[in-house]
Amino acid sequence: MNATTIDKKIGTHNKVTFPKFIDYNIPYLQKDFVGFKEALAFKESQGKYTAVNTLGYLGKYQFGRTTLQRFKIYNTQAFLNNPELQEKAFIALCKVNKWILRKDIQRSVGKTINGVKITESGILAAAHLSGAGNVKKFLRSNGAIRFADAYGATIQSYLKKFEGYDVSIIKANRFATV
């Protein structure tokens, strides 16, 4: 049985079909920080804390080893088995990226580049994908300098997919720690 299963009600003269309701218990995500991080996690790993992709990126948010080392996380197995640590690392990375990109956020939010409205949440998601430096290059070149990861995801696609979330709860912090 799936979402397109149909129940048939047969009357004396007419045949009427109604879709059958199936509760998949899919959460509705609001456009707040929780919605942002859960949507990004689903895009990265389907929200699985123990995920490791073919390139070795780790966890729910698909961290690279060098990013983890920036937060003094060296034991990748322990990281994979610690959801609380992964959540803290994600928040710390958002804070650092927001600090690195603070001037670009100020200059770019509200503009449209290649048909994509630039928002703070889109910028933070793109930085998670490609690193803050590549996002700076993209924004400062008005979209001429592009980036795609090994799987084909682009800065532009992340700017669009993750636009419009309220991420004001994240405060820029150059020295954020886990």
Side-chain angles (χ1 to χ4, degrees):
M1 181 162 28
N2 61 39
T4 58
T5 302
I6 303 287
D7 274 345
K8 295 181 182 174
K9 290 214 175 231
I10 301 174
T12 53
H13 299 286
N14 298 331
K15 185 165 117 178
V16 180
T17 59
F18 298 98
K20 184 175 196 135
F21 175 75
I22 299 171
D23 183 7
Y24 284 112
N25 199 21
I26 298 171
Y28 170 75
L29 296 177
Q30 295 184 30
K31 294 290 250 183
D32 60 5
F33 181 70
V34 172
F36 170 76
K37 72 182 192 69
E38 293 304 318
L40 186 60
F42 189 80
K43 174 76 172 142
E44 294 291 315
S45 71
Q46 296 182 320
K48 297 175 183 172
Y49 287 107
T50 57
V52 179
N53 76 9
T54 58
L55 300 173
Y57 288 83
L58 304 154
K60 181 176 178 179
Y61 302 101
Q62 295 293 280
F63 281 92
R65 283 175 171 78
T66 55
T67 300
L68 292 176
Q69 290 169 1
R70 188 245 178 264
F71 296 112
K72 299 183 179 8
I73 298 169
Y74 303 102
N75 184 333
T76 56
Q77 197 56 50
F79 177 75
L80 285 173
N81 293 321
N82 190 336
E84 184 179 348
L85 182 59
Q86 290 187 41
E87 296 297 334
K88 287 178 178 179
F90 179 74
I91 290 168
L93 181 60
C94 286
K95 289 177 178 183
V96 169
N97 282 338
K98 194 166 183 175
W99 186 85
I100 293 168
L101 291 160
R102 66 196 182 285
K103 292 177 185 172
D104 296 277
I105 289 169
Q106 199 172 38
R107 281 191 287 253
S108 302
V109 167
K111 291 183 179 178
T112 301
I113 297 177
N114 298 336
V116 177
K117 183 180 175 192
I118 305 303
T119 67
E120 187 174 320
S121 59
I123 290 171
L124 288 180
H128 187 81
L129 170 73
S130 68
N134 285 319
V135 175
K136 280 185 178 193
K137 290 174 190 173
F138 179 89
L139 294 172
R140 292 177 184 184
S141 72
N142 202 36
I145 298 174
R146 297 172 181 237
F147 171 90
D149 73 1
Y151 300 108
T154 64
I155 288 174
Q156 188 166 312
S157 69
Y158 269 52
L159 286 167
K160 184 173 177 70
K161 184 169 186 65
F162 299 102
E163 75 181 25
Y165 287 88
D166 178 0
V167 293
S168 60
I169 195 170
I170 294 298
K171 302 302 176 203
N173 182 350
R174 178 182 186 184
F175 304 108
T177 59
V178 174

